[in-house]
Amino acid sequence: MHSYQVSHIKLQVILLCLLVTLPAISQRRTIRLGEDSPLRKLQIAEMAITNLYVDSVDEQQLVENGVRAMLEKLDPHSTYLTAKEVQQANESLQGSFEGIGVQFNMVEDTLLVVQPVVGGPSERKGIVAGDRIVAVNDTAIAGVKMSKEEIMRRLRGPKGTIVNLGVVRRGIQDTLHFVIERDKIPVHTIDATYMLRKDVGYIRIGSFGATTHDEFRESLQRLQKQGMKTLVLDLQENGGGYLQAAVKIGGEFLEKDDLIVYTKGRNVPSTEYRAEGDGLFTKGRVIVLVDSYTASAAEIVSGAIQDHDRGIIVGRRTFGKGLVQRPIDLPDGSMIRLTTAHYYTPSGRCIQKPYEKGDKKHYAEDMLQRLKSGELMSADSVHFADSLKCYTLREHRVVYGGGGIMPDEFVPLDTLQYTRYHRQLAAKSIIINANLHYVDDHRKELQRQYKTFDAFRRRFEVPQSLIDQIVTEGERQDIKPKDDAERDATLPYLRTQLKALVARDLWTMDEYFAIINDLNDTVKRAMELIGK
C-alpha cells in the first residue's frame, strides 16, 4: 500500500473518531463534528496539511498561524499570546515574579545594578547599587554580548532555588561572590506617590494589576497622614489592565452602590459593578490626568469619576478602548484574549472608538491621525456625533461616547518640548547611559552632599561636563542639532531629565516624578485649577 493511501486512511480514521470539547460561554458541552460543521472543515485542512503536504511542517506553528488568522479578522483587541508572552503579561499584572530582586541596566555589555529591590533577596545578601554582576553560576555574562533576555532568564528562577553571582564592586579589586536564594519579587503598579504641596497629593498608576488596589490604598493612607485634601490621580500613558482592579479603584472615590461600569455582550449576561461603600477618599477633591494613551481600565476609572461629577478630568482625549476581553487558556500554556462584551460608563457611554473588523492598520494609526488633524493641539478639532450624547448623573453636563473620554479641561500637546535632537539622543540611549556612568562615578559623593531629597532638589545642578559628554557622544554618532535654536530648545528639558534620573538612582521613582513633573503641562494645569 502506498504511503499516500496509508496517510489518507489514517486521516479518515482520525476524523471519524474525532470529538472536540470546547468550553461554552455559559456551560461546558461536547460538540461532535457533523458533516457540515465549520470546525470539521478546519480540522480536515489541518490534518491534510500535516499528513499529506509535500514538505514537513511544524504542526504546532500551523495551528498557531490558524488561530492568529481567525483573530486578526475580528476586533483589534482579540489576540493570541504564546506561552512565553502569557508568562510575561502575567508577571506585570499579577504583581510578582521569582528571581533575585534587582533593578538593572546594561552598560557596555555589563549588568549594572541601579537599585536592589527593598527587602528582596539581593539586598538581604548585600548587593548594592552600582554593583556589576559579571557571572551567573560560573558563566560569564559581561563582555560576551549576551542578550538582556538571556541574562534575565539566568537570573530568574523558581522560588527557593540557588544562584551564584560574581560581582565587581568599585573600590574592591577582587571579584565578590554571593550565593542568593531566589524569592518572589513584587512588581509595583503604582509609579509614584508624593505630596505636590502641603495639602495636594499625587499618585501615578502605571497599570491596573492584581495588587494595584492594595497599593493604591496604601498610597492614599500615606498621603492622608501628610495632610492631603486634594488628590491628583495621574493616569497618563496608563494602558489599562484588570477590570476588577479598575472597579475597586473607582470605588475608593464613590458612595456605596454608585455604578462604576457595566458590561454587555452577545452571549454574556449584562453585569453591573458598583461601589462597595468603604472608599478612603469619597469626600476630597479629585483631579484625574489623562492623555491619548490612557486606555481600558484607566478609562473606566476616568469615566466613572466624570459621570458622577466626582472630579475634574484634565488632559487630552483618551484612547477609546471600550471592549472587554476574556482570557481563554489553551493546553500548552498559550492563551486567546477574546472580546466578549462592551463596557459602558455610568451615564451609558460606550467609549470604544470606531474600527473595521480585520483592519488593524488604520486602528493602529489613529494616534498619527489625531496629530495630523490638530486634535492634540486644539479641543476644537475633536468632533462627536449628537447621537452619542449622554449626560452626567449629578450636574447633567453633556458628555459623549464613541471615542474615548473627553477631558473637562483640555491641555494641548507641546510639540516643541521634545525636539528632534532630543528624540535622537534618547533613541540611541546616549542620555540614559551618560546618567548611569555619572551616578556610578559620583554616587558616594552625591550621597554625602545631599542627605535628603529636599536638599538635592533645591541645590543640585546638572554639571556642564555631563551635558558636554552627551553632546560629544551624539556628535560621534552623527547626532547634531540642526541649528543653535534647536540646541537651545533641547537643553532645559535635558537638564531637568538628567536631574530626575539622578534622583531616581539615588532614591526612588517618587523623586523622579517629583522633578520631571515640573515640565508636565497637564500636572501644571491641574495645579492651576487647584489654585483657583
Side-chain angles (χ1 to χ4, degrees):
M1 186 178 291
H2 295 298
S3 60
Y4 169 81
Q5 292 173 305
V6 173
S7 297
H8 187 64
I9 292 171
K10 179 180 178 182
L11 178 60
Q12 286 181 315
V13 171
I14 290 174
L15 290 173
L16 287 172
C17 297
L18 183 63
L19 290 174
V20 176
T21 302
L22 294 173
I25 295 297
S26 58
Q27 62 182 350
R28 297 182 68 87
R29 66 179 185 269
T30 301
I31 302 175
R32 186 178 299 275
L33 300 186
E35 289 296 328
D36 59 349
S37 168
L39 290 177
R40 178 179 175 84
K41 181 178 179 179
L42 183 65
Q43 186 70 18
I44 290 173
E46 191 276 333
M47 293 301 297
I49 294 171
T50 301
N51 290 276
L52 304 178
Y53 184 63
V54 62
D55 296 322
S56 61
V57 294
D58 182 336
E59 189 171 4
Q60 180 71 23
Q61 190 62 51
L62 193 67
V63 172
E64 285 193 3
N65 291 342
V67 173
R68 289 184 192 276
M70 286 190 289
L71 294 172
E72 284 173 357
K73 299 302 181 182
L74 303 179
D75 66 278
H77 297 291
S78 290
T79 57
Y80 170 81
L81 301 178
T82 66
K84 183 177 180 181
E85 290 168 338
V86 170
Q87 181 183 8
Q88 292 172 342
N90 285 343
E91 285 177 356
S92 63
L93 290 176
Q94 290 181 356
S96 68
F97 63 91
E98 296 177 349
I100 67 169
V102 293
Q103 300 173 29
F104 71 90
N105 266 306
M106 299 302 297
V107 179
E108 297 168 356
D109 292 337
T110 302
L111 186 156
L112 175 67
V113 176
V114 175
Q115 292 282 357
V117 174
V118 176
S122 289
E123 186 191 53
R124 292 197 299 266
K125 285 291 185 177
I127 299 291
V128 298
D131 281 352
R132 288 165 166 77
I133 299 177
V134 297
V136 179
N137 291 332
D138 299 325
T139 299
I141 64 170
V144 294
K145 298 190 181 300
M146 187 178 290
S147 70
K148 187 175 181 178
E149 290 73 21
E150 176 62 17
I151 291 173
M152 290 176 64
R153 186 187 70 79
R154 291 173 182 270
L155 293 175
R156 291 186 178 185
K159 176 182 177 180
T161 57
I162 301 298
V163 60
N164 295 280
L165 302 181
V167 172
V168 172
R169 180 172 295 170
R170 183 179 292 272
I172 298 179
Q173 184 174 359
D174 297 330
T175 300
L176 304 175
H177 296 278
F178 294 86
V179 178
I180 295 179
E181 182 178 332
R182 296 183 179 96
D183 201 348
K184 279 196 173 293
I185 310 301
V187 176
H188 297 293
T189 56
I190 302 291
D191 289 340
T193 302
Y194 69 95
M195 295 295 289
L196 280 164
R197 70 181 198 200
K198 65 176 183 178
D199 58 351
V200 180
Y202 171 93
I203 299 176
R204 180 183 174 96
I205 304 178
S207 62
F208 287 84
T211 62
T212 304
H213 182 234
D214 290 338
E215 293 178 51
F216 186 70
R217 286 181 68 90
E218 290 175 7
S219 292
L220 275 178
Q221 290 168 336
R222 178 163 37 130
L223 295 178
Q224 286 172 329
K225 289 178 180 177
Q226 297 178 58
M228 177 183 68
K229 303 299 181 185
T230 297
L231 174 66
V232 175
L233 176 61
D234 192 346
L235 300 181
Q236 295 177 95
E237 300 181 4
N238 184 317
Y242 292 152
L243 181 145
Q244 285 288 356
V247 169
K248 290 180 178 179
I249 297 294
E252 296 296 336
F253 303 102
L254 301 174
E255 300 293 343
K256 183 175 175 60
D257 292 329
D258 279 349
L259 182 62
I260 297 171
V261 66
Y262 64 96
T263 62
K264 288 194 300 185
R266 181 173 64 92
N267 281 319
V268 293
S270 178
T271 304
E272 292 185 347
Y273 300 87
R274 295 181 177 273
E276 295 181 356
D278 57 350
L280 290 176
F281 203 70
T282 59
K283 301 301 181 185
R285 189 177 184 187
V286 182
I287 296 182
V288 183
L289 312 184
V290 300
D291 64 10
S292 302
Y293 297 100
T294 302
S296 188
E299 291 175 295
I300 289 176
V301 174
S302 304
I305 289 175
Q306 187 177 54
D307 282 5
H308 283 285
D309 297 294
R310 177 64 187 86
I312 301 172
I313 312 298
V314 179
R316 291 177 289 280
R317 181 167 68 101
T318 63
F319 184 87
K321 180 181 181 292
L323 303 175
V324 181
Q325 282 71 50
R326 171 182 170 174
I328 300 173
D329 296 321
L330 301 177
D332 63 348
S334 60
M335 174 192 290
I336 292 173
R337 283 181 176 166
L338 187 66
T339 297
T340 58
H342 289 85
Y343 76 73
Y344 298 82
T345 71
S347 66
R349 290 184 287 170
C350 178
I351 54 87
Q352 174 61 44
K353 63 186 178 183
Y355 64 89
E356 294 289 337
K357 287 184 178 179
D359 185 2
K360 294 189 176 182
K361 180 176 182 292
H362 286 91
Y363 192 81
E365 292 176 347
D366 178 59
M367 291 302 144
L368 180 60
Q369 293 305 316
R370 293 190 192 190
L371 181 63
K372 288 181 177 179
S373 70
E375 171 187 329
L376 301 182
M377 279 68 77
S378 171
D380 294 337
S381 298
V382 184
H383 303 288
F384 294 99
D386 284 342
S387 60
L388 302 174
K389 184 185 296 184
C390 294
Y391 298 91
T392 62
L393 303 182
R394 288 172 170 77
E395 299 179 8
H396 306 291
R397 297 179 297 117
V398 174
V399 288
Y400 291 92
I405 303 291
M406 188 66 187
D408 304 305
E409 289 284 337
F410 181 83
V411 179
L413 176 68
D414 183 0
T415 57
L416 299 179
Q417 187 178 63
Y418 308 100
T419 65
R420 177 200 59 85
Y421 181 46
H422 180 272
R423 290 196 299 271
Q424 289 183 341
L425 290 172
K428 292 290 187 179
S429 299
I430 294 173
I431 298 171
I432 190 69
N433 286 337
N435 168 75
L436 289 169
H437 281 297
Y438 173 77
V439 175
D440 192 39
D441 291 339
H442 300 88
R443 184 182 300 275
K444 291 184 178 179
E445 173 191 339
L446 291 166
Q447 289 172 336
R448 283 194 304 268
Q449 191 171 356
Y450 305 105
K451 300 293 185 183
T452 66
F453 171 64
D454 183 60
F456 174 88
R457 188 173 189 174
R458 286 185 289 105
R459 304 201 321 260
F460 177 78
E461 298 288 342
V462 174
Q464 184 61 40
S465 59
L466 180 55
I467 300 294
D468 293 342
Q469 178 186 338
I470 291 171
V471 171
T472 300
E473 180 60 23
E475 290 174 348
R476 192 183 70 81
Q477 298 190 37
D478 200 28
I479 299 174
K480 302 175 183 178
K482 62 182 180 182
D483 51 34
D484 290 345
E486 185 178 37
R487 182 200 61 204
D488 294 342
T490 301
L491 291 182
Y493 185 86
L494 178 59
R495 288 184 185 278
T496 302
Q497 180 186 20
L498 287 167
K499 184 172 181 176
L501 288 170
V502 173
R504 178 203 65 181
D505 292 351
L506 295 178
W507 288 281
T508 69
M509 290 298 290
D510 290 354
E511 287 74 20
Y512 170 85
F513 279 102
I515 291 175
I516 204 69
N517 276 342
D518 287 343
L519 297 179
N520 189 306
D521 288 338
T522 307
V523 174
K524 289 191 286 187
R525 179 60 179 147
M527 295 303 291
E528 290 173 2
L529 292 171
I530 293 169
K532 293 180 180 180

